[in-house]
Amino acid sequence: MKLTIQEQEIVWRKFRSYCIKVIDGEVLNYLDELKKQQEHEICFSDLSTEQQNQLYTCDDILKSTHFQVMNMDVEVNDDEISEALGQLSEKRRMIILMTYFLDMRGAEIAQCMKLVQSTIHYHKAESLRLLKEFLE
C-alpha cells in the first residue's frame, strides 16, 4: 500500500505524538518512583553519628591456635582452651584433639597411636581433669 506524502506526514505526526506521550508517561513514572524512594531513604551524609554507628557492628577478630594432629591442622578459636591444651603433654593433647575436634572414637585413636584402648581412656580422663583444673 502506497501512501501519499500528505498521508505519510499524518502518520509521522501521529507516531511522533504517540512517542512523546509514551516518553512523558515513563518520565512521570520515574519521578513517582524517585519520590517514593526519597520518602523511605535518607543519604548517609544526613545521618547523625549515633545513627551511623547503629548501621554496623564490629566482630572481634578471633585469634586461632593451630595444632597438628595426624598431619591435619586443627584450629582452636578459644584462647583459654588453646592455652590449656598447650599445657598438656603431646600425647594427651593429641588424644583430646582427636576425640573432640576430629570426632574419633577410642578404638580409632588407639589404632592410630598404637596403644591399648584402656590407655586411651585413661589419658582422656586424666586430660579432662587437668583441663578442668587449668580452666578454673
Side-chain angles (χ1 to χ4, degrees), residues 1-41:
M1 177 162 112
K2 191 91 169 167
L3 297 176
T4 65
I5 294 177
Q6 198 173 25
E7 290 172 333
Q8 287 177 355
E9 187 69 29
I10 292 170
V11 170
W12 172 249
R13 283 190 200 134
K14 285 183 178 183
F15 178 71
R16 195 176 102 208
S17 174
Y18 172 76
C19 288
I20 290 171
K21 287 178 186 178
V22 169
I23 291 172
D24 284 344
E26 286 299 314
V27 168
L28 290 175
N29 286 341
Y30 177 73
L31 293 175
D32 284 344
E33 288 296 320
L34 280 180
K35 185 177 178 183
K36 287 178 188 176
Q37 188 177 17
Q38 288 174 349
E39 291 172 0
H40 298 287
E41 294 180 2

mmCIF file of all heavy atoms in Angstrom, residues 1-41:
data_model
loop_
_atom_site.group_PDB
_atom_site.id
_atom_site.type_symbol
_atom_site.label_atom_id
_atom_site.label_comp_id
_atom_site.label_asym_id
_atom_site.label_seq_id
_atom_site.Cartn_x
_atom_site.Cartn_y
_atom_site.Cartn_z
ATOM 1 N N MET A 1 0.837 -1.166 0.000
ATOM 2 C CA MET A 1 0.000 0.000 0.000
ATOM 3 C C MET A 1 0.889 1.238 0.000
ATOM 4 O O MET A 1 1.745 1.405 0.852
ATOM 5 C CB MET A 1 -0.896 -0.049 1.240
ATOM 6 C CG MET A 1 -1.757 1.140 1.367
ATOM 7 S SD MET A 1 -3.090 0.788 2.488
ATOM 8 C CE MET A 1 -2.709 1.804 3.817
ATOM 9 N N LYS A 2 0.695 2.039 -0.955
ATOM 10 C CA LYS A 2 1.483 3.245 -1.156
ATOM 11 C C LYS A 2 0.736 4.432 -0.566
ATOM 12 O O LYS A 2 -0.444 4.637 -0.847
ATOM 13 C CB LYS A 2 1.688 3.432 -2.658
ATOM 14 C CG LYS A 2 2.672 4.454 -3.008
ATOM 15 C CD LYS A 2 4.030 3.810 -3.138
ATOM 16 C CE LYS A 2 4.933 4.857 -3.778
ATOM 17 N NZ LYS A 2 6.257 4.516 -3.704
ATOM 18 N N LEU A 3 1.449 5.211 0.281
ATOM 19 C CA LEU A 3 0.833 6.393 0.888
ATOM 20 C C LEU A 3 1.325 7.642 0.177
ATOM 21 O O LEU A 3 2.479 7.718 -0.253
ATOM 22 C CB LEU A 3 1.197 6.485 2.374
ATOM 23 C CG LEU A 3 0.728 5.353 3.284
ATOM 24 C CD1 LEU A 3 1.252 5.543 4.691
ATOM 25 C CD2 LEU A 3 -0.783 5.257 3.301
ATOM 26 N N THR A 4 0.447 8.600 0.144
ATOM 27 C CA THR A 4 0.852 9.883 -0.440
ATOM 28 C C THR A 4 1.737 10.597 0.577
ATOM 29 O O THR A 4 1.784 10.233 1.753
ATOM 30 C CB THR A 4 -0.382 10.751 -0.758
ATOM 31 O OG1 THR A 4 -1.036 11.090 0.460
ATOM 32 C CG2 THR A 4 -1.335 10.027 -1.695
ATOM 33 N N ILE A 5 2.386 11.619 0.142
ATOM 34 C CA ILE A 5 3.270 12.395 1.017
ATOM 35 C C ILE A 5 2.476 13.002 2.163
ATOM 36 O O ILE A 5 2.923 13.020 3.305
ATOM 37 C CB ILE A 5 3.996 13.496 0.200
ATOM 38 C CG1 ILE A 5 4.937 12.838 -0.799
ATOM 39 C CG2 ILE A 5 4.745 14.436 1.123
ATOM 40 C CD1 ILE A 5 5.650 13.780 -1.702
ATOM 41 N N GLN A 6 1.295 13.443 1.873
ATOM 42 C CA GLN A 6 0.442 14.031 2.907
ATOM 43 C C GLN A 6 0.044 12.970 3.947
ATOM 44 O O GLN A 6 0.062 13.233 5.145
ATOM 45 C CB GLN A 6 -0.811 14.622 2.242
ATOM 46 C CG GLN A 6 -1.552 15.608 3.094
ATOM 47 C CD GLN A 6 -2.679 16.274 2.306
ATOM 48 O OE1 GLN A 6 -3.186 15.701 1.337
ATOM 49 N NE2 GLN A 6 -3.058 17.461 2.727
ATOM 50 N N GLU A 7 -0.282 11.773 3.495
ATOM 51 C CA GLU A 7 -0.645 10.687 4.411
ATOM 52 C C GLU A 7 0.566 10.245 5.248
ATOM 53 O O GLU A 7 0.449 9.961 6.439
ATOM 54 C CB GLU A 7 -1.199 9.497 3.623
ATOM 55 C CG GLU A 7 -2.559 9.755 3.001
ATOM 56 C CD GLU A 7 -3.004 8.651 2.063
ATOM 57 O OE1 GLU A 7 -2.127 7.959 1.485
ATOM 58 O OE2 GLU A 7 -4.224 8.483 1.906
ATOM 59 N N GLN A 8 1.714 10.220 4.587
ATOM 60 C CA GLN A 8 2.938 9.884 5.311
ATOM 61 C C GLN A 8 3.215 10.915 6.408
ATOM 62 O O GLN A 8 3.633 10.566 7.512
ATOM 63 C CB GLN A 8 4.132 9.811 4.350
ATOM 64 C CG GLN A 8 4.129 8.607 3.463
ATOM 65 C CD GLN A 8 5.293 8.610 2.469
ATOM 66 O OE1 GLN A 8 6.062 9.570 2.390
ATOM 67 N NE2 GLN A 8 5.390 7.535 1.691
ATOM 68 N N GLU A 9 2.975 12.156 6.110
ATOM 69 C CA GLU A 9 3.164 13.247 7.080
ATOM 70 C C GLU A 9 2.213 13.062 8.270
ATOM 71 O O GLU A 9 2.600 13.237 9.416
ATOM 72 C CB GLU A 9 2.925 14.597 6.393
ATOM 73 C CG GLU A 9 3.261 15.787 7.241
ATOM 74 C CD GLU A 9 4.752 15.941 7.484
ATOM 75 O OE1 GLU A 9 5.570 15.526 6.638
ATOM 76 O OE2 GLU A 9 5.095 16.474 8.544
ATOM 77 N N ILE A 10 0.976 12.673 8.009
ATOM 78 C CA ILE A 10 -0.015 12.446 9.076
ATOM 79 C C ILE A 10 0.429 11.269 9.955
ATOM 80 O O ILE A 10 0.391 11.347 11.188
ATOM 81 C CB ILE A 10 -1.414 12.201 8.470
ATOM 82 C CG1 ILE A 10 -1.940 13.477 7.814
ATOM 83 C CG2 ILE A 10 -2.394 11.700 9.519
ATOM 84 C CD1 ILE A 10 -3.204 13.287 6.989
ATOM 85 N N VAL A 11 0.858 10.186 9.300
ATOM 86 C CA VAL A 11 1.325 9.012 10.042
ATOM 87 C C VAL A 11 2.523 9.396 10.912
ATOM 88 O O VAL A 11 2.615 9.020 12.090
ATOM 89 C CB VAL A 11 1.677 7.850 9.083
ATOM 90 C CG1 VAL A 11 2.395 6.727 9.819
ATOM 91 C CG2 VAL A 11 0.429 7.327 8.402
ATOM 92 N N TRP A 12 3.437 10.157 10.311
ATOM 93 C CA TRP A 12 4.636 10.589 11.050
ATOM 94 C C TRP A 12 4.251 11.422 12.263
ATOM 95 O O TRP A 12 4.768 11.223 13.353
ATOM 96 C CB TRP A 12 5.581 11.355 10.129
ATOM 97 C CG TRP A 12 6.730 11.990 10.874
ATOM 98 C CD1 TRP A 12 6.943 13.295 11.074
ATOM 99 C CD2 TRP A 12 7.796 11.304 11.537
ATOM 100 N NE1 TRP A 12 8.070 13.491 11.829
ATOM 101 C CE2 TRP A 12 8.614 12.262 12.123
ATOM 102 C CE3 TRP A 12 8.125 9.962 11.678
ATOM 103 C CZ2 TRP A 12 9.751 11.947 12.855
ATOM 104 C CZ3 TRP A 12 9.266 9.646 12.410
ATOM 105 C CH2 TRP A 12 10.056 10.637 12.979
ATOM 106 N N ARG A 13 3.338 12.375 12.144
ATOM 107 C CA ARG A 13 2.905 13.230 13.261
ATOM 108 C C ARG A 13 2.234 12.395 14.348
ATOM 109 O O ARG A 13 2.460 12.618 15.534
ATOM 110 C CB ARG A 13 1.933 14.296 12.755
ATOM 111 C CG ARG A 13 2.625 15.426 12.047
ATOM 112 C CD ARG A 13 1.651 16.571 11.774
ATOM 113 N NE ARG A 13 2.202 17.392 10.728
ATOM 114 C CZ ARG A 13 1.537 17.833 9.686
ATOM 115 N NH1 ARG A 13 0.256 17.541 9.535
ATOM 116 N NH2 ARG A 13 2.123 18.584 8.778
ATOM 117 N N LYS A 14 1.379 11.433 13.938
ATOM 118 C CA LYS A 14 0.706 10.585 14.923
ATOM 119 C C LYS A 14 1.723 9.721 15.676
ATOM 120 O O LYS A 14 1.645 9.566 16.895
ATOM 121 C CB LYS A 14 -0.331 9.689 14.244
ATOM 122 C CG LYS A 14 -1.583 10.435 13.833
ATOM 123 C CD LYS A 14 -2.602 9.483 13.241
ATOM 124 C CE LYS A 14 -3.877 10.232 12.870
ATOM 125 N NZ LYS A 14 -4.917 9.340 12.364
ATOM 126 N N PHE A 15 2.681 9.176 14.948
ATOM 127 C CA PHE A 15 3.708 8.357 15.574
ATOM 128 C C PHE A 15 4.547 9.190 16.545
ATOM 129 O O PHE A 15 4.829 8.771 17.673
ATOM 130 C CB PHE A 15 4.605 7.711 14.515
ATOM 131 C CG PHE A 15 5.725 6.886 15.098
ATOM 132 C CD1 PHE A 15 5.450 5.678 15.722
ATOM 133 C CD2 PHE A 15 7.043 7.318 15.029
ATOM 134 C CE1 PHE A 15 6.469 4.913 16.276
ATOM 135 C CE2 PHE A 15 8.061 6.563 15.579
ATOM 136 C CZ PHE A 15 7.778 5.358 16.198
ATOM 137 N N ARG A 16 4.940 10.395 16.111
ATOM 138 C CA ARG A 16 5.722 11.296 16.957
ATOM 139 C C ARG A 16 4.934 11.666 18.215
ATOM 140 O O ARG A 16 5.458 11.658 19.329
ATOM 141 C CB ARG A 16 6.110 12.542 16.168
ATOM 142 C CG ARG A 16 7.219 13.340 16.838
ATOM 143 C CD ARG A 16 7.636 14.503 15.991
ATOM 144 N NE ARG A 16 6.990 15.668 16.604
ATOM 145 C CZ ARG A 16 6.636 16.751 15.972
ATOM 146 N NH1 ARG A 16 6.813 16.854 14.688
ATOM 147 N NH2 ARG A 16 6.097 17.743 16.610
ATOM 148 N N SER A 17 3.672 11.948 18.063
ATOM 149 C CA SER A 17 2.812 12.294 19.194
ATOM 150 C C SER A 17 2.712 11.114 20.158
ATOM 151 O O SER A 17 2.788 11.287 21.384
ATOM 152 C CB SER A 17 1.427 12.685 18.679
ATOM 153 O OG SER A 17 0.537 12.892 19.732
ATOM 154 N N TYR A 18 2.546 9.923 19.605
ATOM 155 C CA TYR A 18 2.466 8.714 20.422
ATOM 156 C C TYR A 18 3.769 8.518 21.203
ATOM 157 O O TYR A 18 3.751 8.238 22.398
ATOM 158 C CB TYR A 18 2.181 7.496 19.532
ATOM 159 C CG TYR A 18 2.262 6.184 20.265
ATOM 160 C CD1 TYR A 18 1.241 5.785 21.122
ATOM 161 C CD2 TYR A 18 3.375 5.349 20.121
ATOM 162 C CE1 TYR A 18 1.318 4.576 21.805
ATOM 163 C CE2 TYR A 18 3.462 4.159 20.800
ATOM 164 C CZ TYR A 18 2.426 3.768 21.641
ATOM 165 O OH TYR A 18 2.509 2.576 22.327
ATOM 166 N N CYS A 19 4.911 8.673 20.546
ATOM 167 C CA CYS A 19 6.219 8.501 21.194
ATOM 168 C C CYS A 19 6.398 9.515 22.319
ATOM 169 O O CYS A 19 6.894 9.174 23.404
ATOM 170 C CB CYS A 19 7.344 8.641 20.172
ATOM 171 S SG CYS A 19 7.469 7.245 19.033
ATOM 172 N N ILE A 20 5.998 10.748 22.089
ATOM 173 C CA ILE A 20 6.134 11.791 23.107
ATOM 174 C C ILE A 20 5.275 11.445 24.324
ATOM 175 O O ILE A 20 5.702 11.588 25.469
ATOM 176 C CB ILE A 20 5.773 13.180 22.523
ATOM 177 C CG1 ILE A 20 6.863 13.607 21.531
ATOM 178 C CG2 ILE A 20 5.584 14.208 23.623
ATOM 179 C CD1 ILE A 20 6.532 14.847 20.733
ATOM 180 N N LYS A 21 4.038 10.948 24.094
ATOM 181 C CA LYS A 21 3.160 10.563 25.196
ATOM 182 C C LYS A 21 3.764 9.409 25.997
ATOM 183 O O LYS A 21 3.729 9.397 27.234
ATOM 184 C CB LYS A 21 1.780 10.167 24.677
ATOM 185 C CG LYS A 21 0.943 11.333 24.212
ATOM 186 C CD LYS A 21 -0.385 10.857 23.671
ATOM 187 C CE LYS A 21 -1.175 12.030 23.067
ATOM 188 N NZ LYS A 21 -2.438 11.577 22.486
ATOM 189 N N VAL A 22 4.333 8.433 25.303
ATOM 190 C CA VAL A 22 4.946 7.286 25.980
ATOM 191 C C VAL A 22 6.133 7.750 26.820
ATOM 192 O O VAL A 22 6.273 7.372 27.996
ATOM 193 C CB VAL A 22 5.384 6.202 24.966
ATOM 194 C CG1 VAL A 22 6.258 5.150 25.622
ATOM 195 C CG2 VAL A 22 4.166 5.554 24.335
ATOM 196 N N ILE A 23 6.985 8.576 26.259
ATOM 197 C CA ILE A 23 8.172 9.063 26.986
ATOM 198 C C ILE A 23 7.739 9.918 28.176
ATOM 199 O O ILE A 23 8.289 9.790 29.273
ATOM 200 C CB ILE A 23 9.112 9.831 26.040
ATOM 201 C CG1 ILE A 23 9.743 8.843 25.049
ATOM 202 C CG2 ILE A 23 10.193 10.568 26.821
ATOM 203 C CD1 ILE A 23 10.550 9.477 23.938
ATOM 204 N N ASP A 24 6.736 10.782 27.984
ATOM 205 C CA ASP A 24 6.231 11.591 29.094
ATOM 206 C C ASP A 24 5.705 10.696 30.215
ATOM 207 O O ASP A 24 5.949 10.952 31.401
ATOM 208 C CB ASP A 24 5.117 12.540 28.624
ATOM 209 C CG ASP A 24 5.642 13.739 27.852
ATOM 210 O OD1 ASP A 24 6.865 14.007 27.928
ATOM 211 O OD2 ASP A 24 4.829 14.411 27.182
ATOM 212 N N GLY A 25 4.984 9.643 29.850
ATOM 213 C CA GLY A 25 4.464 8.709 30.848
ATOM 214 C C GLY A 25 5.585 8.028 31.613
ATOM 215 O O GLY A 25 5.509 7.866 32.838
ATOM 216 N N GLU A 26 6.633 7.622 30.901
ATOM 217 C CA GLU A 26 7.776 6.984 31.550
ATOM 218 C C GLU A 26 8.484 7.949 32.496
ATOM 219 O O GLU A 26 8.899 7.573 33.588
ATOM 220 C CB GLU A 26 8.765 6.442 30.514
ATOM 221 C CG GLU A 26 8.295 5.197 29.806
ATOM 222 C CD GLU A 26 8.072 4.036 30.757
ATOM 223 O OE1 GLU A 26 8.933 3.776 31.622
ATOM 224 O OE2 GLU A 26 7.023 3.387 30.650
ATOM 225 N N VAL A 27 8.621 9.207 32.078
ATOM 226 C CA VAL A 27 9.252 10.218 32.932
ATOM 227 C C VAL A 27 8.430 10.402 34.204
ATOM 228 O O VAL A 27 8.970 10.445 35.314
ATOM 229 C CB VAL A 27 9.414 11.561 32.171
ATOM 230 C CG1 VAL A 27 9.791 12.691 33.123
ATOM 231 C CG2 VAL A 27 10.463 11.423 31.076
ATOM 232 N N LEU A 28 7.110 10.481 34.074
ATOM 233 C CA LEU A 28 6.245 10.637 35.245
ATOM 234 C C LEU A 28 6.349 9.423 36.175
ATOM 235 O O LEU A 28 6.417 9.580 37.400
ATOM 236 C CB LEU A 28 4.791 10.856 34.817
ATOM 237 C CG LEU A 28 4.492 12.204 34.148
ATOM 238 C CD1 LEU A 28 3.043 12.239 33.650
ATOM 239 C CD2 LEU A 28 4.770 13.356 35.090
ATOM 240 N N ASN A 29 6.381 8.210 35.613
ATOM 241 C CA ASN A 29 6.554 7.004 36.423
ATOM 242 C C ASN A 29 7.882 7.025 37.165
ATOM 243 O O ASN A 29 7.972 6.683 38.344
ATOM 244 C CB ASN A 29 6.471 5.742 35.563
ATOM 245 C CG ASN A 29 5.055 5.426 35.131
ATOM 246 O OD1 ASN A 29 4.097 5.906 35.719
ATOM 247 N ND2 ASN A 29 4.933 4.617 34.094
ATOM 248 N N TYR A 30 8.935 7.447 36.467
ATOM 249 C CA TYR A 30 10.261 7.514 37.076
ATOM 250 C C TYR A 30 10.276 8.525 38.220
ATOM 251 O O TYR A 30 10.813 8.256 39.297
ATOM 252 C CB TYR A 30 11.312 7.868 36.008
ATOM 253 C CG TYR A 30 12.692 8.039 36.556
ATOM 254 C CD1 TYR A 30 13.435 6.937 36.982
ATOM 255 C CD2 TYR A 30 13.268 9.303 36.674
ATOM 256 C CE1 TYR A 30 14.703 7.091 37.496
ATOM 257 C CE2 TYR A 30 14.536 9.465 37.186
ATOM 258 C CZ TYR A 30 15.254 8.364 37.596
ATOM 259 O OH TYR A 30 16.514 8.517 38.107
ATOM 260 N N LEU A 31 9.676 9.681 37.995
ATOM 261 C CA LEU A 31 9.639 10.705 39.039
ATOM 262 C C LEU A 31 8.824 10.230 40.248
ATOM 263 O O LEU A 31 9.187 10.511 41.390
ATOM 264 C CB LEU A 31 9.075 12.013 38.485
ATOM 265 C CG LEU A 31 9.953 12.713 37.438
ATOM 266 C CD1 LEU A 31 9.232 13.932 36.861
ATOM 267 C CD2 LEU A 31 11.296 13.113 38.032
ATOM 268 N N ASP A 32 7.739 9.512 40.002
ATOM 269 C CA ASP A 32 6.947 8.946 41.105
ATOM 270 C C ASP A 32 7.774 7.947 41.907
ATOM 271 O O ASP A 32 7.728 7.944 43.151
ATOM 272 C CB ASP A 32 5.685 8.256 40.574
ATOM 273 C CG ASP A 32 4.596 9.230 40.145
ATOM 274 O OD1 ASP A 32 4.673 10.422 40.526
ATOM 275 O OD2 ASP A 32 3.672 8.786 39.430
ATOM 276 N N GLU A 33 8.523 7.094 41.205
ATOM 277 C CA GLU A 33 9.372 6.121 41.891
ATOM 278 C C GLU A 33 10.440 6.819 42.721
ATOM 279 O O GLU A 33 10.725 6.410 43.847
ATOM 280 C CB GLU A 33 10.035 5.171 40.887
ATOM 281 C CG GLU A 33 9.093 4.168 40.264
ATOM 282 C CD GLU A 33 8.512 3.203 41.282
ATOM 283 O OE1 GLU A 33 9.240 2.754 42.182
ATOM 284 O OE2 GLU A 33 7.309 2.908 41.172
ATOM 285 N N LEU A 34 11.038 7.876 42.178
ATOM 286 C CA LEU A 34 12.046 8.630 42.936
ATOM 287 C C LEU A 34 11.434 9.248 44.191
ATOM 288 O O LEU A 34 12.048 9.242 45.264
ATOM 289 C CB LEU A 34 12.655 9.737 42.073
ATOM 290 C CG LEU A 34 13.728 9.327 41.080
ATOM 291 C CD1 LEU A 34 14.224 10.547 40.304
ATOM 292 C CD2 LEU A 34 14.900 8.657 41.782
ATOM 293 N N LYS A 35 10.231 9.764 44.069
ATOM 294 C CA LYS A 35 9.544 10.383 45.209
ATOM 295 C C LYS A 35 9.282 9.342 46.290
ATOM 296 O O LYS A 35 9.532 9.583 47.475
ATOM 297 C CB LYS A 35 8.240 11.022 44.756
ATOM 298 C CG LYS A 35 7.525 11.791 45.834
ATOM 299 C CD LYS A 35 6.278 12.456 45.286
ATOM 300 C CE LYS A 35 5.536 13.184 46.397
ATOM 301 N NZ LYS A 35 4.287 13.770 45.923
ATOM 302 N N LYS A 36 8.794 8.154 45.889
ATOM 303 C CA LYS A 36 8.550 7.077 46.852
ATOM 304 C C LYS A 36 9.855 6.652 47.527
ATOM 305 O O LYS A 36 9.896 6.409 48.737
ATOM 306 C CB LYS A 36 7.929 5.867 46.157
ATOM 307 C CG LYS A 36 6.490 6.058 45.749
ATOM 308 C CD LYS A 36 5.973 4.812 45.022
ATOM 309 C CE LYS A 36 4.604 5.051 44.420
ATOM 310 N NZ LYS A 36 4.152 3.890 43.633
ATOM 311 N N GLN A 37 10.915 6.581 46.736
ATOM 312 C CA GLN A 37 12.206 6.174 47.260
ATOM 313 C C GLN A 37 12.719 7.204 48.270
ATOM 314 O O GLN A 37 13.238 6.847 49.320
ATOM 315 C CB GLN A 37 13.200 6.019 46.103
ATOM 316 C CG GLN A 37 14.511 5.415 46.479
ATOM 317 C CD GLN A 37 15.400 5.226 45.263
ATOM 318 O OE1 GLN A 37 15.182 5.809 44.198
ATOM 319 N NE2 GLN A 37 16.427 4.421 45.420
ATOM 320 N N GLN A 38 12.563 8.478 47.966
ATOM 321 C CA GLN A 38 13.037 9.533 48.862
ATOM 322 C C GLN A 38 12.256 9.557 50.173
ATOM 323 O O GLN A 38 12.780 9.960 51.203
ATOM 324 C CB GLN A 38 12.947 10.893 48.169
ATOM 325 C CG GLN A 38 13.984 11.074 47.091
ATOM 326 C CD GLN A 38 13.803 12.367 46.307
ATOM 327 O OE1 GLN A 38 12.787 13.037 46.424
ATOM 328 N NE2 GLN A 38 14.801 12.690 45.504
ATOM 329 N N GLU A 39 11.009 9.104 50.150
ATOM 330 C CA GLU A 39 10.215 9.049 51.376
ATOM 331 C C GLU A 39 10.728 7.973 52.329
ATOM 332 O O GLU A 39 10.569 8.086 53.541
ATOM 333 C CB GLU A 39 8.745 8.776 51.047
ATOM 334 C CG GLU A 39 8.048 9.923 50.360
ATOM 335 C CD GLU A 39 6.646 9.564 49.869
ATOM 336 O OE1 GLU A 39 6.218 8.397 50.061
ATOM 337 O OE2 GLU A 39 5.991 10.446 49.294
ATOM 338 N N HIS A 40 11.352 6.925 51.783
ATOM 339 C CA HIS A 40 11.799 5.791 52.601
ATOM 340 C C HIS A 40 13.305 5.752 52.805
ATOM 341 O O HIS A 40 13.784 4.949 53.600
ATOM 342 C CB HIS A 40 11.346 4.475 51.965
ATOM 343 C CG HIS A 40 9.864 4.340 51.868
ATOM 344 N ND1 HIS A 40 9.077 4.102 52.966
ATOM 345 C CD2 HIS A 40 9.013 4.431 50.821
ATOM 346 C CE1 HIS A 40 7.810 4.043 52.600
ATOM 347 N NE2 HIS A 40 7.745 4.227 51.298
ATOM 348 N N GLU A 41 14.044 6.568 52.102
ATOM 349 C CA GLU A 41 15.502 6.514 52.192
ATOM 350 C C GLU A 41 16.057 7.869 52.598
ATOM 351 O O GLU A 41 15.431 8.895 52.412
ATOM 352 C CB GLU A 41 16.103 6.107 50.842
ATOM 353 C CG GLU A 41 15.745 4.701 50.438
ATOM 354 C CD GLU A 41 16.339 4.308 49.091
ATOM 355 O OE1 GLU A 41 17.060 5.125 48.487
ATOM 356 O OE2 GLU A 41 16.088 3.183 48.655
#
